[in-house]
Amino acid sequence: MQIIVGLGNPGGQYARNRHNIGFMAVDEIHRRHSGFAPWRSRFQGEVSEGSLEGTKVMLLKPMTYMNESGRAVGEAMRFYKLEPKDIVVLYDELDLPAAKFRMKTGGGHGGHNGLRSITAHIGDAYRRLRLGIGHPGDKKLVSNYVLGDFAKVDAEWIEPLLSGIADNAGMLARGEDSKFANKLTLLLEPEKARRPEKAAKTEKADKVAAPVEPSASLPPQADMPPRTAPKGQSHIRQARQPKGPQMPTSGPMAEMLKKLLGKGQD
């Protein structure tokens, strides 16, 4: 069994707050997957049991307010005799730009009071889905910012993000965090999701296919006698040896070769 926890504050006045994007995400999972039961009160929160692609899952929204989220998470984990690795927490992240996300297992709380509480109750080895909301730019503005509502224009990125999380939630339930992250990136940032080596090969092919224009400062190659450097020798060294065709001693070609091969220099 897996527990998918969304963090937020209870009450209609907080429903559209940036701090409540975790609640929004688990609500979207519940809405899109018909196998989940109606929400009910349990473990100091609201829960709904169901399954995602064959894996039993409980959705949990702690009703203890953000700063005490760990009480609900800890109670649920102990009841089902689970381990921290069976818990994935969805929450707002100030240190990520809006519309970005990151998957992570373990680590610190980064100043997030919800994570601080959860870590105090179950340790830090749980999984996290960090949902970027951006930063107001000044630490003094953070409290009002996170407790402020999303702007209407934010729906342009919130809706695709929440839909992508819900559509691929089965991977979270199976613990396939890397696969989930790749799928969500492909949905939200298709160009970034291209494999780096594939992009490099494409760039190299484009360079090879590009036509090479002849240099305006050199005469056509047909006017120069062909030379092949012996194995292990540079062309310049070969040119300095008295082998091969006779080089011109006067005229524009002779002057060009003197400059190229260093003839006449000390």
Side-chain angles (χ1 to χ4, degrees), residues 107-208:
H109 54 70
H112 193 287
N113 288 331
L115 296 191
R116 191 195 307 272
S117 177
I118 293 172
T119 297
H121 283 266
I122 70 170
D124 66 358
Y126 53 93
R127 297 149 56 210
R128 305 107 187 268
L129 174 53
R130 306 158 62 198
L131 304 174
I133 60 170
H135 197 286
D138 188 333
K139 190 175 181 179
K140 296 177 182 178
L141 302 176
V142 165
S143 180
N144 288 336
Y145 179 77
V146 298
L147 294 177
D149 286 355
F150 284 109
K152 289 184 179 179
V153 69
D154 289 326
E156 295 179 3
W157 63 265
I158 293 174
E159 292 177 3
L161 174 64
L162 299 183
S163 296
I165 291 170
D167 288 344
N168 296 288
M171 297 175 191
L172 287 179
R174 294 193 301 270
E176 298 173 347
D177 293 352
S178 295
K179 188 174 181 181
F180 169 84
N182 289 337
K183 281 282 188 180
L184 197 53
T185 299
L186 183 61
L187 172 67
L188 301 175
E189 303 177 82
E191 288 302 316
K192 183 177 179 180
R194 293 176 62 195
R195 294 180 62 183
E197 60 270 24
K198 183 176 180 180
K201 288 180 181 178
T202 302
E203 183 179 356
K204 183 177 180 180
D206 291 342
K207 289 181 179 179
V208 171

Side-chain angles (χ1 to χ4, degrees), residues 73-87:
V73 176
E75 187 175 332
M77 190 185 83
R78 289 188 296 272
F79 180 86
Y80 288 108
K81 297 180 173 59
L82 301 177
E83 299 179 11
K85 66 180 179 62
D86 302 315
I87 313 293

